[in-house]
Amino acid sequence: MSILITGGSGYIGSHTVVELLSNNEDIIIVDNFSNSNKVSLDRIKQITNKEFKFYNVDCTDEKELEKVFKENNIESIIHFAAYKAVGESVYEPLKYYINNINSTLNILNLMKKYDVKNFVFSSSATVYGNPHKFPITEDFPLSTTNPYGATKLMIEDILKDIAKVDKSFNVAILRYFNPVGAHISGLIGEDPNGIPNNLMPYISQVAVGNLEKLNVFGGDYDTHDGTGVRDYIHVVDLAIGHVKALEKLRTNCGLVIYNLGTGNGYSVLDMVKAFEDASAKKVNYQIVARREGDVPMCYADSTKANKELGWKAKFGLKEMCEDTWRWQSKNPNGYR
Ligand code: UD1
């Protein structure tokens, strides 16, 4: 029996594949490299010394995807493949709805047809909208501010509807906070296309000399230093969260929802400082206007994942920065 990983060559996907292979799971990766690089697959093999099956398939193509279900005995699916740039989703909403929703519907449809029962879904803290109390627990009200977030919330709703009527369907909705860091080998890591939207890859590209300076979006938030606060989580901790979620699904648990964060909130300037310490490089920055759609603060209560999955983030800010720097300095241009 195999685990199908969609988006397995991407940032979180590749780290999760490494953890699963290390646990001796049989892995099938489906990816179309729309926002990732095939080199990451070689690197996964280099790290683990293990083999896996790979299909270059776009999950919106149900016919092609069906071949993967036909040719394999799939036990569980972890669905990472999706578009994820918030800003772009505002300008190209249809692109996001078509890709993120259709790919998920195809997978769910094929799961039904081929009697696959376990599904792990990559959701995001973005489904909490603009929360007014902290830390955020899973029962907080849900809302979104952009089409990317809307696709995450719509898919959560679809999964809840299915689980309501199909008691044999096991689904883990994992709401990620802000993934950063890289595998300790420095062989795999975050490799955004073009200029990064997210903070950590931006900082690391300034440190390595690819970008001149960081624009800090807003210095007048009601936070300890005026800059935005987030719950940054090491991508390896996040990957282990998926392994634990899969174990949970194998107990026939039905639908479960977990926040995956550390519970610590760090500001943009905290991150700059920690990165400078880890890299011994200066990170130039300037404070500019707030970015539209940003919330002042966001951090998780992950007690539920701790209690029910036995999962807890073990890496701190120092490792997050050191591992990001190892990846970025060994691969100044990512996988290219
Ligand atoms: C963003 C998305 C979120 C998504 C997540 C995926 C928005 C509003 N939210 O989270 O839905 O799930 O990415 O990783 O985009 N910052 C700067 N300068 C930069 C970049 C970021 O100051 O060049 C600041 C931001 O204002 C924020 C913090 O850094 O305070 C983190 O930003 P980012 O890494 O983009 O993540 P989020 O916005 O939290």
Side-chain angles (χ1 to χ4, degrees):
M1 297 288 273
S2 306
I3 304 170
L4 174 63
I5 316 278
T6 74
S9 98
Y11 175 43
I12 305 173
S14 58
H15 287 82
T16 302
V17 170
V18 166
E19 294 307 315
L20 290 167
L21 287 171
S22 309
N23 276 9
N24 296 315
E25 300 279 6
D26 272 329
I27 300 295
I28 304 161
I29 294 178
V30 164
D31 207 307
N32 66 347
F33 304 118
S34 73
N35 190 26
S36 63
N37 193 303
K38 37 170 101 57
V39 175
S40 72
L41 300 181
D42 303 328
R43 301 281 179 87
I44 292 172
K45 288 182 188 159
Q46 208 179 323
I47 292 169
T48 60
N49 241 325
K50 295 207 164 121
E51 290 298 322
F52 50 83
K53 263 192 175 176
F54 171 73
Y55 291 84
N56 189 332
V57 168
D58 181 334
C59 296
T60 60
D61 184 342
E62 191 173 353
K63 262 211 187 104
E64 282 300 306
L65 194 58
E66 179 154 13
K67 289 186 192 155
V68 183
F69 281 75
K70 246 191 214 140
E71 290 170 13
N72 297 283
N73 192 359
I74 298 170
E75 179 231 328
S76 302
I77 298 177
I78 307 183
H79 181 37
F80 292 106
Y83 292 153
K84 60 171 187 180
V86 177
E88 184 188 51
S89 80
V90 174
Y91 296 102
E92 294 194 69
L94 203 49
K95 175 176 166 180
Y96 276 68
Y97 288 116
I98 290 174
N99 184 69
N100 292 5
I101 305 288
N102 284 350
S103 59
T104 310
L105 291 177
N106 286 343
I107 294 165
L108 292 169
N109 202 27
L110 290 167
M111 284 179 74
K112 192 165 179 206
K113 188 163 171 188
Y114 289 84
D115 205 31
V116 181
K117 294 299 183 188
N118 301 330
F119 188 71
V120 180
F121 177 59
S122 291
S123 191
S124 161
T126 193
V127 300
Y128 295 116
N130 190 352
H132 293 288
K133 228 176 68 192
F134 303 96
I136 298 166
T137 49
E138 288 83 354
D139 54 0
F140 267 39
L142 305 178
S143 68
T144 56
T145 55
N146 58 73
Y148 155 76
T151 67
K152 294 292 175 192
L153 197 46
M154 283 177 188
I155 294 166
E156 286 203 6
D157 286 338
I158 291 167
L159 295 172
K160 287 171 192 170
D161 284 340
I162 299 173
K164 231 181 264 166
V165 290
D166 181 355
K167 297 298 170 201
S168 67
F169 180 56
N170 302 308
V171 52
I173 293 173
L174 303 181
R175 294 183 182 145
Y176 311 152
F177 282 67
N178 290 56
V180 297
H183 190 264
I184 191 159
S185 62
L187 287 169
I188 55 173
E190 187 167 15
D191 180 25
N193 272 335
I195 295 175
N197 297 307
N198 296 115
L199 179 66
M200 196 61 146
Y202 205 109
I203 290 181
S204 63
Q205 291 201 26
V206 171
V208 86
N210 290 347
L211 295 168
E212 194 193 327
K213 68 169 96 140
L214 169 73
N215 288 315
V216 176
F217 298 138
D220 56 353
Y221 285 113
D222 186 15
T223 59
H224 64 271
D225 60 14
T227 66
V229 166
R230 296 290 183 275
D231 185 337
Y232 296 93
I233 172 169
H234 197 296
V235 66
V236 173
D237 275 329
L238 198 59
I240 295 169
H242 291 75
V243 176
K244 298 279 187 186
L246 210 56
E247 283 169 16
K248 177 80 178 175
L249 295 185
R250 287 170 172 158
T251 67
N252 289 322
C253 59
L255 180 136
V256 289
I257 302 177
Y258 300 109
N259 284 341
L260 297 182
T262 65
N264 299 312
Y266 293 109
S267 73
V268 176
L269 294 183
D270 291 336
M271 298 304 285
V272 168
K273 172 81 177 56
F275 201 87
E276 287 182 336
D277 291 346
S279 64
K281 294 276 175 192
K282 180 100 192 82
V283 176
N284 292 320
Y285 70 86
Q286 62 181 355
I287 296 191
V288 300
R290 293 179 179 191
R291 179 172 68 179
E292 207 186 320
D294 272 358
V295 297
M297 200 185 284
C298 182
Y299 60 92
D301 181 328
S302 290
T303 313
K304 193 171 169 223
N306 186 8
K307 274 198 189 133
E308 295 185 15
L309 301 179
W311 174 88
K312 199 173 185 331
K314 55 177 194 257
F315 296 112
L317 190 52
K318 190 165 175 279
E319 287 112 331
M320 296 181 208
C321 293
E322 283 172 358
D323 293 342
T324 301
W325 179 238
R326 189 175 307 105
W327 153 253
Q328 188 71 71
S329 52
K330 281 173 98 167
N331 307 269
N333 300 308
Y335 292 114
R336 281 163 291 270

